[in-house]
């Protein structure tokens, strides 16, 4: 079994590098004329980046056979939730100034905010149930069914980004394409697995491919 402790440490450190660079740019005032927009866009993009990387683990594992890659999926998902939390906090703190009563009206005026919040709150139960103890309490099958919510969260996150961008939609469409590939792979793999009919086994040791 491959020892991934050092690799996890590298991932942990690198996961905080974007936040460090963002804080450094804020300190040096290198965030353009609208710091709020810069921070909001950056944290939102980081959320999608980590979410897509976490979704890429399964296809890469199946193609390469490197099953130990699954050990990084939880940390990647938690980083997605972490940057999503910063994204939401930026809106609540610096756009609404913690005036929570103004949020419902703003959501009604700007539907993309409602979609973004829905995407974030769908990630909340996934973050809460990410521990080994919760996997045991829920059971493997129930835990896997619950964590398929991440697909919907990803779709809504990309839609939120697309609606936010008013002119240049190349980046949102790039995220949408990558997400479609990752979800399409899962659909294809499931269809291929269910539709594949193996020939009669030569011996009892033959196991159908997964």
């Amino acid at each position: 079994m491959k020892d991934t402790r050092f690799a996890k440490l590298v991932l942990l450190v690198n996961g905080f590098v974007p936040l460090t660079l963002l804080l450094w740019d804020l300190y040096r005032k290198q965030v353009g004329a609208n710091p709020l927009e810069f921070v909001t866009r950056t944290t939102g993009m980081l959320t999608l980046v980590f979410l897509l990387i976490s979704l890429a683990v399964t296809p890469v594992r199946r193609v390469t056979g490197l099953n130990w890659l699954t050990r990084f999926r939880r940390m990647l998902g938690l980083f997605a939730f972490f940057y999503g939390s910063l994204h939401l906090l930026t809106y609540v703190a610096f756009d609404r100034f913690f005036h929570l009563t103004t949020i419902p009206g703003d959501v009604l005026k700007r539907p993309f905010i409602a979609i973004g919040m829905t995407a974030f709150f769908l990630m909340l139960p996934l973050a809460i149930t990410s521990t080994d103890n919760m996997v045991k309490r829920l059971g493997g099958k129930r835990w896997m069914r619950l964590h398929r919510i991440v697909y919907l969260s990803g779709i809504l996150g990309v839609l939120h980004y697309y609606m936010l961008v008013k002119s240049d939609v190349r980046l949102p469409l790039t995220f949408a394409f990558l997400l479609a590939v990752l979800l399409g792979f899962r659909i294809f793999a499931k269809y291929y697995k269910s539709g594949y009919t193996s020939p009669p086994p030569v011996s009892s040791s033959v196991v159908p491919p997964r």
Side-chain angles (χ1 to χ4, degrees):
M1 184 176 292
K2 186 178 180 64
D3 188 352
T4 58
R5 286 176 294 183
F6 178 73
K8 283 184 176 181
L9 178 61
V10 172
L11 176 59
L12 179 65
V13 172
N14 281 276
F16 286 110
V17 167
L19 176 61
T20 304
L21 295 176
L22 175 61
L23 293 175
W24 179 244
D25 285 339
L26 285 170
Y27 175 75
R28 295 190 304 156
K29 299 182 180 179
Q30 301 292 320
V31 290
N34 191 336
L36 174 60
E37 181 180 358
F38 182 87
V39 174
T40 302
R41 294 284 180 93
T42 301
T43 53
M45 284 188 60
L46 288 169
T47 304
L48 287 176
V49 166
F50 278 102
L51 187 61
L52 290 181
I53 295 176
S54 70
L55 289 175
V57 170
T58 294
V60 173
R61 175 185 65 83
R62 291 188 177 183
V63 171
T64 63
L66 301 176
N67 293 325
W68 51 267
L69 290 175
T70 57
R71 301 181 190 177
F72 303 107
R73 187 165 50 196
R74 179 186 305 178
M75 187 180 296
L76 290 166
L78 289 174
F79 268 119
F81 179 75
F82 171 70
Y83 282 108
S85 300
L86 292 181
H87 183 64
L88 178 61
L89 181 61
T90 300
Y91 167 73
V92 173
F94 300 107
D95 192 315
R96 298 292 95 192
F97 300 102
F98 292 105
H99 296 155
L100 302 184
T101 56
T102 66
I103 292 178
D106 193 41
V107 169
L108 290 176
K109 288 191 298 183
R110 299 190 286 177
F112 71 88
I113 296 178
I115 293 175
M117 285 186 173
T118 302
F120 171 78
F121 285 115
L122 285 175
M123 295 173 64
L124 186 58
L126 308 186
I128 293 173
T129 58
S130 64
T131 64
D132 291 335
N133 286 335
M134 288 303 298
V135 176
K136 292 178 181 178
R137 289 180 62 182
L138 290 173
K141 290 184 178 180
R142 289 175 60 191
W143 185 88
M144 289 180 65
R145 284 198 297 268
L146 173 65
H147 277 247
R148 288 185 184 132
I149 295 175
V150 71
Y151 306 150
L152 178 58
S153 180
I155 293 171
L156 292 177
V158 170
L159 180 60
H160 165 73
Y161 188 22
Y162 179 83
M163 295 174 66
L164 174 65
V165 177
K166 297 180 175 62
S167 54
D168 190 352
V169 296
R170 286 176 295 178
L171 268 177
L173 289 179
T174 300
F175 278 112
F177 172 76
L178 294 174
L179 180 62
V181 170
L182 294 173
L183 297 185
F185 178 89
R186 285 166 165 81
I187 295 172
F188 172 78
K190 183 177 181 180
Y191 172 80
Y192 177 80
K193 183 177 179 180
S194 61
Y196 174 76
T197 303
S198 59
V202 177
S203 68
S204 60
S205 63
V206 176
V207 180
R210 294 184 178 181

